[in-house]
Amino acid sequence: MGLLSLGTPLPWEQAKGLAHEVRQHGIEQFLHIWRSTKDRQKDRLLWGDEIEYMLISLDHENRRARLSQRGHELLTTLQVEENESQKLANQTGAKPNLEALWRPEFGRYMIEGTPGHPYNSTVSELASVEANMKRRREIVSSLMKDNEVILSVGSYPQLGSGDFLEPPHKANGAFSQSLFLPDEVINPHPRFRTLAANIRQRRESKVRINMPVFHDLNTPQPFVDPTIPYDRNLFAGDKEAKEGAALPDHIYMDAMGFGMGCCCLQITLQAPNVDQARRLYDQLATVGAVMMSLSASSPIFRGYLADVDCRWNVIAAAVDDRTPEERGERPLAKDRFVINKSRYGTIDTFLGAEDGLFKPEYNDLPLVYDHDIYKYLLDNDIDELLAKHIAHLFIRDPLVIFEELLDQDDAISADHFENIQSTNWQNVRFKLPPPNSPIGWRVEFRPLEVQLTDFENAAFSVFTVLLARALLAFPDINLYIPVTKMDINMERAHHRDAVLDERFFFHRSCPADNQNYLAELTANEIINGCAEFVGLVPIVQMYLDSISVAHTVRRRIDNYILFIRGRANGTIMTAAAWMRNFVRNHPAYKFDSAVSSEINYDLAVALDNIASGRLPAPELLGAGNTA
């Protein structure tokens, strides 16, 4: 979720007057970090994953599945061991030895788990990833009630629909002011409610999220959602749905919680130095869309089947804090820029690296950036591409400012920089070394949808890590495409069954000339290879063949790769396709796009049975694979 600080969050009316000050200090903090760490070399290829879970309460008697607000309660218990270990480490200097770390997420029903320490740079450690993921699930499960389960799915099908929360609450909260979501779904950490309120206040309206509905045989045409309380008059924004915010033929959502209440799988990779981090940032950004299509797991929103498979655009709209002027709906008067997209989206500019592969035409999007910050960074010896990247991030306002953290020593703190950086949620994130830390330059890979089972999450994590290492080992591999084509790819990746039906812009392996390097390829062609492109799987296999790998480790890795191959060629279903098929084959489904509480209950039970290994699902996991 980004930077989590403790303190007193300022309401928007106070925070907006401090935005310039935070940006100024953030830039100074960036420069201090840059000067002290730009020459770091030979950092180990450490990495880690983040998996987000939902806690669900099953009411077997009434056949209901509800999100449980006990997620926050469990999180508090889970963090006791970590806090005690950290206290002991501070006293003795000993390094904490923990199996897992636990962090809050936006939803009170959510828990984020990571390995207790980064995985090391050896290939053999990749064989331990799945076991660690299983152990995390076991640790959470040991604290649950008999009727509770944890699921790792992209979106909860009935979030904001009917009887979806335990204990129940009415949707009348002052922070979100949602027609559907009570504020009680929000984690009680002071950052989260303030974030929801400040986004709404900054944009001068509630967020507007519209996902196209899946038109089934009996879905009304046009589809106008009968569950929207159009006539509610509790808050000023209640009228927005009736005045056009809720689009016909779409599933309408109106609060940050619909986006940040989704779950994901993220992977952070440390690079040997800043240049290698820049290469990883650029090259991994271009594969984000196709990887997202392979991992698709979000086909249902607010109780309706959607005509999309992924959650990315839901989150982008859920945190879109742009004002009417920034959205281009009014002439600029109070604001500084017209901004073309939400602060959650694909990157807008490449960083370039010393591999010599970057060309200016790849940065073909007219970049909006703070020209004063850009000039100041150039004057302080930051190169043009990195200066534009930072100046682009800093067109945004800080969304949450803690009163206690305003006064900082910019030489030893990064809080103001991270305040801006951590709320630019892009498909990859270029992460600076923290001040006075052994942690190096890192890249966070963010587009993956979380998978139902530990096997799948391990497969996607291991494949991503191996692809990153192959990109570092083979510096002549060039995956650059224009930024505008990357945006198109991401839109296509959302579509229903995109992994099978869509084509994505990609860089040919051996283009005939510099003007003919782009091809439109299927996910199967990009992953498994074709005449136009060698394939990401063959690149990973070429890397594995170039190093020494124990037979048992290689066998496990090869099984993960076989799974990735199957997802790409269609022999293994995505979770999104599996869930849509489950709903459409349920005896209570009326082919009207509506996912009832009964269907939702049976779906939750089935997903838990698969995740726990009680229900074989070779169509989802591949033959012979279990959770």
Side-chain angles (χ1 to χ4, degrees), residues 565-579:
R565 276 192 181 278
R567 275 285 173 88
N569 66 30
T571 57
I572 299 176
M573 300 172 73
T574 64
W578 192 96
M579 285 189 272

Side-chain angles (χ1 to χ4, degrees), residues 49-152:
D49 68 83
E50 304 170 20
I51 297 178
E52 295 166 1
Y53 308 92
M54 299 180 184
L55 183 66
I56 296 169
S57 174
L58 297 176
D59 178 354
H60 298 295
E61 182 178 352
N62 296 300
R63 297 177 60 80
R64 294 291 183 269
R66 304 178 181 94
L67 292 171
S68 172
Q69 294 182 74
R70 278 197 350 107
H72 178 70
E73 177 185 326
L74 265 61
L75 179 67
T76 302
T77 303
L78 289 165
Q79 289 182 320
V80 168
E81 181 184 4
E82 178 184 348
N83 294 336
E84 291 177 351
S85 297
Q86 190 58 57
K87 187 184 299 182
L88 182 63
N90 293 339
Q91 294 170 350
T92 65
K95 205 170 185 180
N97 185 23
L98 297 166
E99 292 180 288
L101 303 178
W102 307 97
R103 296 292 177 264
E105 270 298 331
F106 184 89
R108 194 175 187 128
Y109 53 87
M110 298 170 70
I111 298 172
E112 177 189 294
T114 71
H117 53 80
Y119 297 113
N120 66 38
S121 56
T122 65
V123 175
S124 60
E125 180 129 298
L126 298 178
S128 70
V129 172
E130 186 177 345
N132 183 273
M133 292 177 175
K134 287 181 182 294
R135 182 59 185 144
R136 280 178 249 169
R137 196 179 292 264
E138 290 170 356
I139 291 171
V140 178
S141 298
S142 69
L143 302 176
M144 297 188 312
K145 296 178 180 179
D146 290 343
N147 68 322
E148 291 175 338
V149 299
I150 56 164
L151 292 180
S152 47

Side-chain angles (χ1 to χ4, degrees), residues 87 290 323 469 536 555:
K87 187 184 299 182
V290 68
T323 68
R469 292 183 183 175
L536 297 182
R555 187 169 58 191

Side-chain angles (χ1 to χ4, degrees), residues 433-590:
N436 303 313
S437 167
I439 299 171
W441 295 90
R442 294 149 295 146
V443 173
E444 187 177 35
F445 188 66
R446 300 175 48 81
L448 289 171
E449 299 255 305
V450 74
Q451 302 299 285
L452 179 61
T453 68
D454 301 312
F455 168 78
E456 297 166 278
N457 284 316
F460 275 103
S461 299
V462 168
F463 183 77
T464 301
V465 170
L466 289 172
L467 177 61
R469 292 183 183 175
L471 291 170
L472 295 180
F474 307 132
D476 57 334
I477 293 175
N478 183 1
L479 304 181
Y480 277 117
I481 61 173
V483 166
T484 56
K485 295 296 190 284
M486 189 162 48
D487 285 343
I488 294 171
N489 283 353
M490 209 65 172
E491 284 301 313
R492 292 177 178 179
H494 277 87
H495 296 163
R496 175 166 48 90
D497 294 329
V499 67
L500 303 179
D501 299 337
E502 289 294 340
R503 289 185 173 271
F504 304 94
F505 289 100
F506 221 73
H507 198 117
R508 288 186 168 95
S509 291
C510 300
D513 56 69
N514 290 334
Q515 302 303 315
N516 194 32
Y517 66 90
L518 276 180
E520 289 186 75
L521 306 177
T522 65
N524 185 39
E525 291 168 330
I526 293 169
I527 296 296
N528 293 320
C530 62
E532 303 282 4
F533 178 64
V534 64
L536 297 182
V537 161
I539 287 172
V540 166
Q541 290 176 321
M542 184 167 54
Y543 168 71
L544 289 169
D545 291 342
S546 72
I547 61 176
S548 176
V549 183
H551 174 69
T552 54
V553 174
R554 182 64 187 262
R555 187 169 58 191
R556 181 179 289 268
I557 291 173
D558 283 345
N559 194 39
Y560 292 149
I561 291 175
L562 188 64
F563 166 77
I564 297 294
R565 276 192 181 278
R567 275 285 173 88
N569 66 30
T571 57
I572 299 176
M573 300 172 73
T574 64
W578 192 96
M579 285 189 272
R580 183 176 283 106
N581 284 358
F582 180 94
V583 170
R584 298 192 76 238
N585 286 284
H586 193 282
Y589 181 61
K590 299 177 181 178

Side-chain angles (χ1 to χ4, degrees), residues 96-379:
N97 185 23
L98 297 166
E99 292 180 288
L101 303 178
W102 307 97
R103 296 292 177 264
E105 270 298 331
F106 184 89
R108 194 175 187 128
Y109 53 87
M110 298 170 70
I111 298 172
E112 177 189 294
T114 71
H117 53 80
Y119 297 113
N120 66 38
S121 56
T122 65
V123 175
S124 60
E125 180 129 298
L126 298 178
S128 70
V129 172
E130 186 177 345
N132 183 273
M133 292 177 175
K134 287 181 182 294
R135 182 59 185 144
R136 280 178 249 169
R137 196 179 292 264
E138 290 170 356
I139 291 171
V140 178
S141 298
S142 69
L143 302 176
M144 297 188 312
K145 296 178 180 179
D146 290 343
N147 68 322
E148 291 175 338
V149 299
I150 56 164
L151 292 180
S152 47
V153 291
S155 62
Y156 186 68
Q158 285 207 310
L159 179 64
S161 174
D163 181 18
F164 76 95
L165 189 64
E166 185 179 283
H169 291 276
K170 291 183 178 180
N172 57 8
F175 289 92
S176 293
Q177 300 186 7
S178 173
L179 296 173
F180 316 105
L181 289 186
D183 281 348
E184 285 78 8
V185 303
I186 305 175
N187 188 295
H189 188 288
R191 166 184 163 90
F192 295 111
R193 290 189 177 189
T194 305
L195 195 56
N198 286 1
I199 286 175
R200 177 177 50 77
Q201 291 175 30
R202 189 183 189 281
R203 65 173 278 122
E204 302 176 25
S205 67
K206 292 192 292 184
V207 295
R208 299 181 179 185
I209 310 165
N210 285 280
M211 289 297 107
V213 73
F214 171 72
H215 277 284
D216 216 329
L217 300 176
N218 298 324
T219 306
Q221 301 245 18
F223 169 79
V224 179
D225 185 359
T227 69
I228 298 174
Y230 288 103
D231 295 325
R232 194 181 82 167
N233 191 28
L234 183 61
F235 300 106
D238 288 352
K239 61 185 179 181
E240 294 170 12
K242 182 185 290 188
E243 292 179 347
L247 301 179
D249 291 322
H250 285 73
I251 305 161
Y252 171 63
M253 296 164 277
D254 66 347
M256 181 182 176
F258 284 107
M260 287 302 183
C262 294
C263 292
C264 69
L265 166 66
Q266 294 173 351
I267 299 160
T268 299
L269 308 117
Q270 182 168 274
N273 54 44
V274 64
D275 180 68
Q276 297 283 60
R278 292 172 74 151
R279 171 168 168 77
L280 282 182
Y281 177 89
D282 285 4
Q283 301 296 321
L284 288 177
T286 66
V287 304
V290 68
M291 293 296 287
M292 187 175 79
S293 74
L294 263 67
S295 64
S297 70
S298 306
I300 310 169
F301 295 98
R302 212 172 58 71
Y304 292 104
L305 284 174
D307 208 29
V308 299
D309 278 0
C310 299
R311 80 209 189 289
W312 187 269
N313 281 348
V314 175
I315 311 178
V319 296
D320 188 359
D321 71 320
R322 291 175 300 159
T323 68
E325 292 179 17
E326 290 171 336
R327 299 194 298 268
E329 297 170 3
R330 294 200 303 242
L332 284 177
K334 297 184 296 183
D335 295 308
R336 304 183 300 153
F337 309 103
V338 175
I339 303 174
N340 66 317
K341 65 173 76 167
S342 167
R343 59 202 298 158
Y344 194 110
T346 49
I347 65 170
D348 288 332
T349 182
F350 290 115
L351 293 176
E354 293 177 2
D355 55 24
L357 300 177
F358 173 78
K359 296 178 181 177
E361 55 261 37
Y362 297 145
N363 279 341
D364 65 335
L365 185 74
L367 189 68
V368 182
Y369 61 95
D370 188 309
H371 288 257
D372 292 335
I373 290 176
Y374 172 66
K375 182 179 184 304
Y376 184 70
L377 292 171
L378 292 181
D379 291 343

